[in-house]
Amino acid sequence: MIRNYIPKLFIGVSFIGLLGACNTMDTEPFESYSEDLVWSSSETAESFILETYNSTVAVLQGNSAVWESRTPNGAQCDQVQNRISTFATETGLDAYSTEGGFGRFDAQRRCNMILQKVAESSTLTDKQKAQFIAEAHFLRGVLYFDMARKMGRFVPIKKVLTQNDKEDFKTPLTANVAESYKLVMDDFNDALKEGALPETSSKSRINVYTVHALRSRAALQAYAYTKDKKYIDIAIESANKVILSGNYSLSENYGGIFNNESPEDQEIIMAKYYLDSDTEIGAFNEMICTLPNLSYDEGVKGSKDGKCDLLPKKTFNGWGEYFPTQDLVDQYLVIDEKTNEAKLWYESSQILDNVEFLPTEGLTEGCIETFVRYDKEKRHVPTLVDLKTGKPSSDYPNVKYNMRVKSGSNRNITELMYSNRDKRMDHTIVRDDTKFVKEYIGLNVGGSASQGIRIKEDGGWYTTATGYYWRKYIVPAEPQMAAWAKVNCHFIIARLGEMYMNLAEAYLLKEDVANAIYNLNQTRVKHGGLPASKASTLKEAWIDYIRERRVEMAYEEGDIYFSYLRWGKYGSYANYERDPGTVIKDLDSPVYKITITSDRKSACINRLNLLNSWNRNFTVKRYLLPIPQAEIDKRSAAGIKDEQNPNW
């Protein structure tokens, strides 16, 4: 991993504070170092370029927990600070929101400086010049892409500005989304000029296929927003370039791609690496804000049968507020015990033969179970909060399933629900009766890490509010899983699995069902361990594809959120046969949780209502985030007139 790590300091030249104080468009000259020094040798020039990765490619890494909580795959629910995702409810979004990352002028300036100074250099070889210029185009293209997929428009600065560049200072926003994506593709295409980039590289630095991977991703988003069919062909072309290169292969160890088991796996195209010398768990929401906060006493005393292997120390000292949902768990298919077919868990023979589905109407507090904790506090299934109503709809019943193991069956709900599932489920999610960071985890009522194991029976007290925890991206640390624990870790920027997903989606857009199914089956069979999909109609193929992408790319840097935006723009089978550009149903729906009783003989699956979490909304203005109004006002004062995005 060390060879993949891009440090913050290079060759004794400190770039901390490199950009200094800059005005609205970063026109101030650099003052914290000598330009002559930086561009006087290939070593220092390369160091500047590598440092620029940290302010460009890094925008594609991180905040998986936050982005997933804005999709049906995840939820944010924290009773400690009374927080839910106000992005998902749209109660926390207005014209002044800065989610789009407006401008990024400092990073644009760095890219432009590389382009200018490398071209002017008399010390670099032609080969070095070609590579460095290609890298700068890619890095700027990444910035443009991230702003385009969020806001649709941005301010493109394509030269190093000085105080004398008065007109360039007034550069307007791109006129529309089409212009934005043209600039994205122009930079990616310039990066792909023949012979400029190597075909292989360390996984922290780009090569030809890294560019193709991001080009494929950007092309799908571009098509969704422009309807220019050339982008479908670009998505296919670039994804195939990566797949057919032979440089990458789907991993035998899906879970290991994301933790420290296989940090340089052959599936990884590019990743951002961090060393434990200066990296703590607390730096990343993906870790610290998904881990429970549990003590030995709580785990042992709170468990009905005392089954708790938590070491006599505080193994988990996290600030958990982001959790997977039952909606995501439902997407992981199960292999039927009788037919060996892949089915939804609630349609499998093992469930139908052993579980009865009881009425969901008229449930009252504790009617399924009232569990008495070691301290005499009661825990109810369902709780009063579980029974709270809101956003009434036949599509979103308050209680979806009230289940009980049939009399005479010696099996339990946990085993019946979670055995023989898609292999990616246990690599992505922590569920009941499993191991996590070498500890036994019980998520049934009274279980060692369950909802209500602490002082709030509905969870969300740095413990699960949904019945699950995230496992993906969690790296074990000593002596405990705490904010200050040091870890080696990495986050995926691009990997081969996505390329198969992109191909499948592009072929669906061409209504080529056979090719779409062939490509989605690559990950479904290899990573999921499932029988191949046999979908034969376009509708069936879209259903299987959306399910496959949701489980294959779950919790990966916002992929699922931006995929939902594309699917809403496509409409039809990609969004429950709705018209293109209308409300995205799955982003406008409440999410679900599970509570399994202490004896694991019953379970209740109901909406997550805690802190009004049920109130998820999606309005069409969210297809594009706002251009931050404060930036519009600031630029207006300087004589630059910008138009806000629709409905903001």
Side-chain angles (χ1 to χ4, degrees):
M1 184 190 300
I2 292 176
R3 68 185 178 87
N4 277 314
Y5 178 71
I6 298 179
K8 295 179 181 177
L9 300 176
F10 295 90
I11 318 175
V13 180
S14 173
F15 289 103
I16 293 177
L18 184 67
L19 300 173
C22 301
N23 64 18
T24 305
M25 300 287 285
D26 275 294
T27 61
E28 296 290 344
F30 296 130
E31 297 177 349
S32 58
Y33 69 96
S34 165
E35 288 188 14
D36 290 340
L37 172 63
V38 172
W39 305 106
S40 64
S41 72
S42 61
E43 290 82 6
T44 52
E46 187 168 32
S47 295
F48 183 90
I49 292 164
L50 293 178
E51 172 66 12
T52 302
Y53 276 67
N54 290 319
S55 57
T56 52
V57 171
V59 303
L60 300 178
Q61 167 260 306
N63 281 322
S64 294
V66 172
W67 283 110
E68 213 72 9
S69 72
R70 298 165 175 180
T71 79
N73 280 7
Q76 178 185 16
C77 194
D78 172 19
Q79 284 206 79
V80 179
Q81 301 183 66
N82 289 311
R83 287 194 300 211
I84 62 174
S85 174
T86 56
F87 188 106
T89 63
E90 291 195 356
T91 56
L93 286 175
D94 60 29
Y96 289 86
S97 297
T98 59
E99 290 273 353
F102 181 82
R104 297 198 171 110
F105 298 120
D106 55 347
Q108 286 198 64
R109 181 182 177 91
R110 293 188 69 108
C111 296
N112 293 333
M113 180 164 282
I114 296 167
L115 291 170
Q116 176 184 315
K117 295 298 183 180
V118 168
E120 294 172 351
S121 173
S122 60
T123 60
L124 299 175
T125 67
D126 288 344
K127 183 176 181 180
Q128 288 171 329
K129 285 185 175 183
Q131 178 174 345
F132 294 168
I133 287 172
E135 284 184 279
H137 277 296
F138 171 79
L139 297 176
R140 192 174 66 183
V142 164
L143 292 174
Y144 288 173
F145 170 48
D146 189 57
M147 291 187 286
R149 68 178 179 163
K150 291 174 179 174
M151 300 177 295
R153 296 177 298 137
F154 54 86
V155 180
I157 306 300
K158 304 185 73 175
K159 60 180 282 189
V160 178
L161 299 184
T162 70
Q163 295 289 1
N164 297 322
D165 292 316
K166 302 301 183 183
E167 290 307 311
D168 289 303
F169 174 77
K170 296 182 178 181
T171 301
L173 289 159
T174 48
N176 48 47
V177 176
E179 181 186 353
S180 296
Y181 276 107
K182 181 183 184 303
L183 292 174
V184 173
M185 288 299 165
D186 284 348
D187 266 334
F188 286 165
N189 291 339
D190 283 339
L192 288 170
K193 286 184 177 178
E194 188 172 355
L197 290 171
E199 294 204 357
T200 60
S201 64
S202 74
K203 294 185 183 297
S204 60
R205 194 167 182 182
I206 71 166
N207 58 44
V208 169
Y209 303 111
T210 317
V211 182
H212 276 298
L214 270 295
R215 185 172 180 256
S216 173
R217 183 187 302 175
L220 284 179
Q221 216 74 19
Y223 170 71
Y225 281 79
T226 68
K227 294 300 185 290
D228 187 336
K229 292 186 177 180
K230 73 182 179 189
Y231 287 120
I232 302 176
D233 294 326
I234 290 172
I236 292 172
E237 175 199 14
S238 278
N240 272 325
K241 289 281 189 183
V242 178
I243 293 167
L244 298 176
S245 71
N247 289 357
Y248 310 98
S249 57
L250 292 177
S251 180
E252 298 286 347
N253 180 12
Y254 176 83
I257 301 173
F258 309 101
N259 57 37
N260 56 0
E261 292 177 15
S262 189
E264 297 188 33
D265 196 278
Q266 195 61 24
E267 181 164 339
I268 299 173
I269 300 169
M270 188 179 192
K272 185 81 165 58
Y273 293 84
Y274 298 87
L275 287 179
D276 59 9
S277 57
D278 62 356
T279 305
E280 297 178 344
I281 284 177
F284 304 107
N285 281 340
E286 292 93 333
M287 287 189 261
I288 191 62
C289 290
T290 63
L291 292 166
N293 194 300
L294 301 167
S295 71
Y296 177 74
D297 286 346
E298 288 168 336
V300 172
K301 292 180 181 179
S303 176
K304 180 179 180 181
D305 55 9
K307 186 178 182 182
C308 177
D309 296 338
L310 290 168
L311 300 175
K313 63 181 182 180
K314 200 175 182 74
T315 301
F316 294 104
N317 193 9
W319 310 328
E321 61 179 283
Y322 295 99
F323 311 106
T325 61
Q326 184 63 43
D327 306 65
L328 174 58
V329 172
D330 288 348
Q331 300 301 307
Y332 293 97
L333 298 174
V334 64
I335 297 177
D336 192 280
E337 289 180 346
K338 290 183 176 178
T339 67
N340 288 322
E341 296 174 322
K343 293 183 177 180
L344 296 165
W345 66 267
Y346 46 83
E347 294 178 351
S348 68
S349 63
Q350 51 265 45
I351 289 289
L352 297 177
D353 289 349
N354 292 278
V355 173
E356 55 183 333
F357 290 85
L358 304 173
T360 58
E361 299 80 16
L363 294 178
T364 58
E365 182 187 24
C367 66
I368 297 175
E369 179 181 27
T370 298
F371 173 74
V372 181
R373 282 167 29 111
Y374 67 95
D375 56 2
K376 308 304 181 184
E377 279 194 23
K378 294 180 180 180
R379 296 291 181 259
H380 305 91
V381 186
T383 70
L384 281 177
V385 172
D386 290 339
L387 297 172
K388 180 181 178 181
T389 59
K391 203 168 189 173
S393 169
S394 59
D395 287 346
Y396 321 124
N398 198 48
V399 179
K400 189 178 288 186
Y401 296 116
N402 174 16
M403 306 180 294
R404 181 174 64 196
V405 175
K406 291 179 180 179
S407 177
S409 174
N410 61 0
R411 303 176 75 172
N412 67 57
I413 288 287
T414 297
E415 182 247 328
L416 289 165
M417 279 192 66
Y418 302 131
S419 296
N420 301 318
R421 293 290 279 271
D422 182 317
K423 293 189 299 184
R424 291 166 292 193
M425 186 181 77
D426 280 344
H427 287 303
T428 306
I429 292 169
V430 179
R431 44 82 171 179
D432 181 41
D433 195 19
T434 190
K435 287 278 188 176
F436 182 39
V437 192
K438 300 181 181 179
E439 304 287 5
Y440 171 78
I441 297 294
L443 291 174
N444 59 325
V445 174
S448 61
S450 60
Q451 170 191 314
I453 193 62
R454 301 190 70 192
I455 66 172
K456 300 282 187 177
E457 78 166 346
D458 290 290
W461 198 257
Y462 292 159
T463 52
T464 183
T466 64
Y468 302 100
Y469 294 94
W470 289 111
R471 187 189 297 270
K472 208 170 187 178
Y473 279 135
I474 299 298
V475 178
E478 294 294 341
Q480 62 179 232
M481 300 295 289
W484 54 84
K486 299 284 191 179
V487 289
N488 288 317
C489 64
H490 66 280
F491 297 94
I492 304 297
I493 302 297
R495 63 181 177 88
L496 188 63
E498 183 199 345
M499 297 302 100
Y500 286 110
M501 294 292 92
N502 292 352
L503 270 183
E505 186 167 321
Y507 281 123
L508 285 174
L509 294 171
K510 286 180 171 288
E511 301 189 3
D512 184 342
V513 171
N515 265 320
I517 295 301
Y518 170 83
N519 282 287
L520 75 83
N521 276 334
Q522 301 308 303
T523 51
R524 174 175 160 134
V525 174
K526 183 75 170 184
H527 287 159
L530 296 171
S533 167
K534 297 178 181 178
S536 58
T537 67
L538 190 59
K539 181 178 181 178
E540 291 170 344
W542 268 109
I543 291 170
D544 279 5
Y545 167 69
I546 290 174
R547 177 183 294 114
E548 180 62 18
R549 187 152 198 145
R550 283 183 65 181
V551 300
E552 175 68 19
M553 302 298 294
Y555 205 60
E556 290 190 45
E557 288 71 49
D559 179 272
I560 299 305
Y561 180 79
F562 292 106
S563 293
Y564 266 113
L565 294 185
R566 291 197 307 276
W567 301 337
K569 283 289 187 180
Y570 303 154
S572 187
Y573 300 133
N575 186 25
Y576 299 90
E577 302 184 52
R578 297 184 175 194
D579 291 336
T582 53
V583 170
I584 300 171
K585 182 178 180 181
D586 282 351
L587 300 186
D588 196 52
S589 307
V591 294
Y592 285 78
K593 53 170 276 192
I594 189 170
T595 310
I596 299 172
T597 56
S598 59
D599 62 4
R600 296 191 171 98
K601 291 295 184 180
S602 299
C604 183
I605 294 176
N606 59 275
R607 289 187 317 194
L608 178 60
N609 292 329
L610 187 60
L611 303 178
N612 291 325
S613 293
W614 57 267
N615 190 28
R616 292 196 173 199
N617 296 286
F618 180 91
T619 54
V620 295
K621 68 181 181 181
R622 189 146 49 101
Y623 278 111
L624 293 176
L625 292 175
I627 309 298
Q629 189 62 45
E631 297 293 341
I632 292 177
D633 295 343
K634 186 190 304 182
R635 283 162 55 85
S636 178
I640 311 164
K641 301 301 180 183
D642 298 317
E643 184 179 342
Q644 181 58 274
N645 279 334
N647 302 314
W648 291 102

